Amino acid sequence: MSKHSFTILFIIISSIFNIILTFGLILGLIILSSFILFKCLGFSPEGKLSLVAILVSFLAGLIGGMTIFTKLCAWAIDKFNLSSKLESQVLGRYLPRGKKAPTSSPDTPQTVMPDSVKIEEDDYEGSEE
């Protein structure tokens, strides 16, 4: 598997995981805020406070989901040693600020010529017309 195809696979799997994580976090925050507001504090569900609590839970879930996802991706890259398998553009996005993504130069093909076709110095200098 090449770096490019492994990077695409990593992005697809991590995107699906990010969606599930963010949705679960938003849902959990909405349930938690509803429980605190209605059961513990005794507010009524018909008030405007419930809409504000849902909006704040949604925004906090989005921001928290992005933050947790970035930290989990950095942990997974370090834990499973994926830095050699991913492209540097992806690594630069998920690695912690202290670490640098390895720069990779494009693979240039190396031509190996057999000795029989190499030009020798005597042949090159001594050729007279």
Side-chain angles (χ1 to χ4, degrees):
M1 214 173 181
S2 68
K3 269 189 172 185
H4 185 70
S5 59
F6 193 79
T7 302
I8 290 174
L9 182 67
F10 177 79
I11 288 172
I12 290 171
I13 292 171
S14 63
S15 297
I16 293 169
F17 177 72
N18 187 13
I19 291 168
I20 294 170
L21 175 74
T22 304
F23 182 71
L25 192 60
I26 290 171
L27 191 63
L29 286 173
I30 289 174
I31 291 171
L32 181 69
S33 65
S34 298
F35 178 76
I36 290 173
L37 285 176
F38 306 136
K39 294 290 183 181
C40 296
L41 299 177
F43 287 103
S44 68
E46 293 85 23
K48 290 182 181 179
L49 189 61
S50 62
L51 293 176
V52 171
I54 290 173
L55 180 65
V56 168
S57 298
F58 181 77
L59 292 176
L62 282 177
I63 294 170
M66 287 187 285
T67 305
I68 293 170
F69 173 72
T70 304
K71 304 264 186 213
L72 284 176
C73 278
W75 173 81
I77 288 171
D78 285 340
K79 172 82 174 165
F80 300 112
N81 196 18
L82 298 177
S83 59
S84 63
K85 297 177 180 114
L86 296 173
E87 293 180 354
S88 60
Q89 293 89 0
V90 174
L91 288 176
R93 182 177 182 98
Y94 295 120
L95 288 180
R97 294 288 175 212
K99 293 186 177 183
K100 295 276 186 178
T103 56
S104 62
S105 61
D107 295 335
T108 56
Q110 298 290 328
T111 305
V112 179
M113 296 174 50
D115 290 335
S116 61
V117 294
K118 291 183 180 176
I119 299 175
E120 296 179 9
E121 288 186 33
D122 294 335
D123 293 341
Y124 186 68
E125 292 176 356
S127 62
E128 294 181 22
E129 297 179 48

PDB file of all heavy atoms in Angstrom, residues 11 14 24 32 34 38 42 63 74 77 89 97-98 110 117 127:
ATOM      1  N   ILE A  11      -7.802   9.126   6.215  1.00  0.00           N
ATOM      2  CA  ILE A  11      -8.700  10.286   6.221  1.00  0.00           C
ATOM      3  C   ILE A  11     -10.159   9.830   6.225  1.00  0.00           C
ATOM      4  O   ILE A  11     -10.992  10.397   6.948  1.00  0.00           O
ATOM      5  CB  ILE A  11      -8.400  11.201   5.018  1.00  0.00           C
ATOM      6  CG1 ILE A  11      -7.066  11.917   5.242  1.00  0.00           C
ATOM      7  CG2 ILE A  11      -9.508  12.222   4.808  1.00  0.00           C
ATOM      8  CD1 ILE A  11      -6.590  12.698   4.041  1.00  0.00           C
ATOM      9  N   SER A  14     -10.884   8.260   9.726  1.00  0.00           N
ATOM     10  CA  SER A  14     -10.883   9.282  10.781  1.00  0.00           C
ATOM     11  C   SER A  14     -12.048  10.259  10.622  1.00  0.00           C
ATOM     12  O   SER A  14     -12.569  10.756  11.625  1.00  0.00           O
ATOM     13  CB  SER A  14      -9.548  10.037  10.791  1.00  0.00           C
ATOM     14  OG  SER A  14      -9.352  10.725   9.582  1.00  0.00           O
ATOM     15  N   GLY A  24     -21.993  12.055  19.157  1.00  0.00           N
ATOM     16  CA  GLY A  24     -22.143  11.505  20.506  1.00  0.00           C
ATOM     17  C   GLY A  24     -21.904  12.544  21.582  1.00  0.00           C
ATOM     18  O   GLY A  24     -22.614  12.581  22.601  1.00  0.00           O
ATOM     19  N   LEU A  32     -27.183  15.833  29.235  1.00  0.00           N
ATOM     20  CA  LEU A  32     -26.674  16.300  30.521  1.00  0.00           C
ATOM     21  C   LEU A  32     -27.257  17.657  30.904  1.00  0.00           C
ATOM     22  O   LEU A  32     -27.689  17.857  32.045  1.00  0.00           O
ATOM     23  CB  LEU A  32     -25.147  16.380  30.487  1.00  0.00           C
ATOM     24  CG  LEU A  32     -24.467  16.825  31.768  1.00  0.00           C
ATOM     25  CD1 LEU A  32     -24.615  15.766  32.844  1.00  0.00           C
ATOM     26  CD2 LEU A  32     -23.004  17.128  31.500  1.00  0.00           C
ATOM     27  N   SER A  34     -30.071  18.954  29.828  1.00  0.00           N
ATOM     28  CA  SER A  34     -31.508  18.777  30.102  1.00  0.00           C
ATOM     29  C   SER A  34     -31.738  18.183  31.481  1.00  0.00           C
ATOM     30  O   SER A  34     -32.642  18.610  32.210  1.00  0.00           O
ATOM     31  CB  SER A  34     -32.143  17.868  29.050  1.00  0.00           C
ATOM     32  OG  SER A  34     -32.048  18.441  27.780  1.00  0.00           O
ATOM     33  N   PHE A  38     -33.758  20.464  34.132  1.00  0.00           N
ATOM     34  CA  PHE A  38     -35.135  20.075  34.425  1.00  0.00           C
ATOM     35  C   PHE A  38     -35.265  19.231  35.684  1.00  0.00           C
ATOM     36  O   PHE A  38     -36.227  19.376  36.438  1.00  0.00           O
ATOM     37  CB  PHE A  38     -35.746  19.347  33.231  1.00  0.00           C
ATOM     38  CG  PHE A  38     -35.638  20.138  31.952  1.00  0.00           C
ATOM     39  CD1 PHE A  38     -35.245  19.526  30.774  1.00  0.00           C
ATOM     40  CD2 PHE A  38     -35.919  21.499  31.925  1.00  0.00           C
ATOM     41  CE1 PHE A  38     -35.146  20.253  29.601  1.00  0.00           C
ATOM     42  CE2 PHE A  38     -35.823  22.220  30.742  1.00  0.00           C
ATOM     43  CZ  PHE A  38     -35.428  21.598  29.586  1.00  0.00           C
ATOM     44  N   GLY A  42     -35.112  22.290  38.317  1.00  0.00           N
ATOM     45  CA  GLY A  42     -36.561  22.415  38.296  1.00  0.00           C
ATOM     46  C   GLY A  42     -37.133  23.398  37.294  1.00  0.00           C
ATOM     47  O   GLY A  42     -38.257  23.867  37.458  1.00  0.00           O
ATOM     48  N   ILE A  63     -17.081  22.207  19.067  1.00  0.00           N
ATOM     49  CA  ILE A  63     -15.732  22.640  19.423  1.00  0.00           C
ATOM     50  C   ILE A  63     -15.000  21.530  20.180  1.00  0.00           C
ATOM     51  O   ILE A  63     -13.834  21.234  19.906  1.00  0.00           O
ATOM     52  CB  ILE A  63     -15.779  23.944  20.233  1.00  0.00           C
ATOM     53  CG1 ILE A  63     -16.313  25.066  19.341  1.00  0.00           C
ATOM     54  CG2 ILE A  63     -14.405  24.304  20.782  1.00  0.00           C
ATOM     55  CD1 ILE A  63     -16.636  26.344  20.079  1.00  0.00           C
ATOM     56  N   ALA A  74      -3.503  12.591  16.955  1.00  0.00           N
ATOM     57  CA  ALA A  74      -2.078  12.710  17.294  1.00  0.00           C
ATOM     58  C   ALA A  74      -1.634  11.523  18.146  1.00  0.00           C
ATOM     59  O   ALA A  74      -0.550  10.964  17.942  1.00  0.00           O
ATOM     60  CB  ALA A  74      -1.815  14.018  18.025  1.00  0.00           C
ATOM     61  N   ILE A  77      -1.407   8.395  15.861  1.00  0.00           N
ATOM     62  CA  ILE A  77      -0.248   8.447  14.973  1.00  0.00           C
ATOM     63  C   ILE A  77       1.011   8.071  15.747  1.00  0.00           C
ATOM     64  O   ILE A  77       1.860   7.324  15.255  1.00  0.00           O
ATOM     65  CB  ILE A  77      -0.129   9.833  14.315  1.00  0.00           C
ATOM     66  CG1 ILE A  77      -1.240  10.004  13.272  1.00  0.00           C
ATOM     67  CG2 ILE A  77       1.231  10.022  13.665  1.00  0.00           C
ATOM     68  CD1 ILE A  77      -1.354  11.402  12.715  1.00  0.00           C
ATOM     69  N   GLN A  89       1.528  16.312   4.635  1.00  0.00           N
ATOM     70  CA  GLN A  89       0.449  17.291   4.773  1.00  0.00           C
ATOM     71  C   GLN A  89      -0.527  16.857   5.858  1.00  0.00           C
ATOM     72  O   GLN A  89      -1.020  17.680   6.625  1.00  0.00           O
ATOM     73  CB  GLN A  89      -0.319  17.471   3.458  1.00  0.00           C
ATOM     74  CG  GLN A  89       0.480  18.092   2.353  1.00  0.00           C
ATOM     75  CD  GLN A  89       1.230  17.065   1.531  1.00  0.00           C
ATOM     76  OE1 GLN A  89       1.164  15.868   1.769  1.00  0.00           O
ATOM     77  NE2 GLN A  89       1.987  17.534   0.553  1.00  0.00           N
ATOM     78  N   ARG A  97       2.102  20.641  18.396  1.00  0.00           N
ATOM     79  CA  ARG A  97       2.854  21.805  17.929  1.00  0.00           C
ATOM     80  C   ARG A  97       4.365  21.643  18.070  1.00  0.00           C
ATOM     81  O   ARG A  97       5.128  22.214  17.334  1.00  0.00           O
ATOM     82  CB  ARG A  97       2.410  23.061  18.680  1.00  0.00           C
ATOM     83  CG  ARG A  97       0.992  23.436  18.381  1.00  0.00           C
ATOM     84  CD  ARG A  97       0.893  23.988  16.994  1.00  0.00           C
ATOM     85  NE  ARG A  97      -0.493  24.247  16.670  1.00  0.00           N
ATOM     86  CZ  ARG A  97      -0.971  24.137  15.457  1.00  0.00           C
ATOM     87  NH1 ARG A  97      -0.207  23.788  14.479  1.00  0.00           N
ATOM     88  NH2 ARG A  97      -2.234  24.383  15.222  1.00  0.00           N
ATOM     89  N   GLY A  98       4.817  20.881  19.034  1.00  0.00           N
ATOM     90  CA  GLY A  98       6.242  20.709  19.238  1.00  0.00           C
ATOM     91  C   GLY A  98       6.912  19.844  18.191  1.00  0.00           C
ATOM     92  O   GLY A  98       8.095  19.955  17.945  1.00  0.00           O
ATOM     93  N   GLN A 110      16.149   6.413  -9.761  1.00  0.00           N
ATOM     94  CA  GLN A 110      17.587   6.357  -9.904  1.00  0.00           C
ATOM     95  C   GLN A 110      17.913   5.404 -11.048  1.00  0.00           C
ATOM     96  O   GLN A 110      17.513   4.246 -11.035  1.00  0.00           O
ATOM     97  CB  GLN A 110      18.233   5.867  -8.605  1.00  0.00           C
ATOM     98  CG  GLN A 110      17.999   6.777  -7.426  1.00  0.00           C
ATOM     99  CD  GLN A 110      18.754   8.090  -7.570  1.00  0.00           C
ATOM    100  OE1 GLN A 110      19.829   8.146  -8.142  1.00  0.00           O
ATOM    101  NE2 GLN A 110      18.160   9.158  -7.051  1.00  0.00           N
ATOM    102  N   VAL A 117      28.019  -0.040 -20.552  1.00  0.00           N
ATOM    103  CA  VAL A 117      27.544   1.085 -21.349  1.00  0.00           C
ATOM    104  C   VAL A 117      28.070   2.427 -20.868  1.00  0.00           C
ATOM    105  O   VAL A 117      27.822   3.438 -21.495  1.00  0.00           O
ATOM    106  CB  VAL A 117      26.001   1.133 -21.374  1.00  0.00           C
ATOM    107  CG1 VAL A 117      25.442  -0.061 -22.089  1.00  0.00           C
ATOM    108  CG2 VAL A 117      25.434   1.286 -20.010  1.00  0.00           C
ATOM    109  N   SER A 127      38.917  10.048 -28.745  1.00  0.00           N
ATOM    110  CA  SER A 127      38.216   9.881 -30.007  1.00  0.00           C
ATOM    111  C   SER A 127      38.634  10.991 -30.972  1.00  0.00           C
ATOM    112  O   SER A 127      38.467  12.164 -30.710  1.00  0.00           O
ATOM    113  CB  SER A 127      36.706   9.904 -29.778  1.00  0.00           C
ATOM    114  OG  SER A 127      36.335  11.143 -29.253  1.00  0.00           O
TER     115      SER A 127
END
